[in-house]
Amino acid sequence: RLPFFQAPNNFIWIILSYWFCHSVLNFMGELLKFGDREFYADWWNSDNLNRFWTTLNLPFHKWSMRHVYKPLLIQGFPQWQAQVIVYMMSAALCEYVIAIPLEMFRFWIFATIVLQAKMTLLLGRFFSGNYGNCLVWLCVLMGPPIAVLTYLHDYYMLNRESTAWSLY
């Protein structure tokens, strides 16, 4: 049953991503007369997860580079530590964005993003080019549905006493 539910879920994620990152942000850029309309780059062609995360959300990437990464380098942090701090901050922010509306912290998104970083380090040297792009798409197609299902499960378990969740 999982593959049947997975396809519509991925389709919804892609539609919502396009709607927000392209339509809404460009509309807001037009209203505010914002000149730089580069909200995302060609993340779908990324040959590794590192490039995927840097091209998916360019405003956040540029902001984190300017306000977190470069100040950490100026303070004397090694480059790899500054990258880890920015990456963990990004993962924590993604978790926060999901946890607030659901009113529960479960750290599923955070753990998924951290595991993707470890997978990049371990498998990055073996998967490059088209194979790396396949690995990125595997993470894109499997990560969000699994995260949604884990949060849905946890939300159901916390709220199953209410009448709205009755299965009968």
Side-chain angles (χ1 to χ4, degrees):
R1 294 181 105 174
L2 184 61
F4 173 75
F5 289 112
Q6 194 170 0
N9 190 356
N10 286 323
F11 186 66
I12 290 169
W13 276 95
I14 290 171
I15 295 247
L16 287 175
S17 175
Y18 175 81
W19 171 76
F20 181 75
C21 293
H22 189 74
S23 302
V24 171
L25 291 178
N26 274 314
F27 178 72
M28 293 300 291
E30 189 70 33
L31 285 178
L32 299 173
K33 298 182 182 188
F34 186 66
D36 183 12
R37 302 261 178 87
E38 190 177 27
F39 300 113
Y40 59 90
D42 62 340
W43 58 265
W44 50 90
N45 289 331
S46 299
D47 56 356
N48 60 46
L49 287 168
N50 202 11
R51 185 164 181 263
F52 168 77
W53 283 111
T54 58
T55 57
L56 180 66
N57 186 344
L58 289 180
F60 179 77
H61 177 69
K62 289 176 183 177
W63 179 88
S64 62
M65 292 296 286
R66 182 175 35 249
H67 296 288
V68 180
Y69 180 73
K70 287 182 183 175
L72 287 172
L73 291 180
I74 290 171
Q75 290 181 4
F77 282 83
Q79 184 179 5
W80 71 270
Q81 282 182 349
Q83 288 174 344
V84 168
I85 290 170
V86 169
Y87 195 77
M88 296 299 235
M89 181 197 72
S90 173
L93 184 62
C94 288
E95 181 67 41
Y96 180 75
V97 166
I98 297 297
I100 292 302
L102 294 177
E103 298 176 357
M104 62 180 190
F105 283 94
R106 290 293 187 258
F107 296 102
W108 293 118
I109 299 283
F110 183 83
T112 303
I113 293 172
V114 170
L115 285 174
Q116 284 182 359
K118 288 183 179 186
M119 189 167 48
T120 298
L121 292 173
L122 294 174
L123 300 177
R125 60 183 155 217
F126 302 114
F127 291 90
S128 61
N130 288 339
Y131 295 116
N133 186 253
C134 288
L135 182 64
V136 167
W137 274 101
L138 182 67
C139 290
V140 168
L141 294 176
M142 296 298 291
I146 291 171
V148 167
L149 287 175
T150 55
Y151 277 100
L152 180 64
H153 172 266
D154 290 352
Y155 190 81
Y156 171 74
M157 295 306 286
L158 286 174
N159 298 299
R160 66 182 170 180
E161 299 298 323
S162 81
T163 58
W165 285 94
S166 177
L167 296 176
Y168 305 119

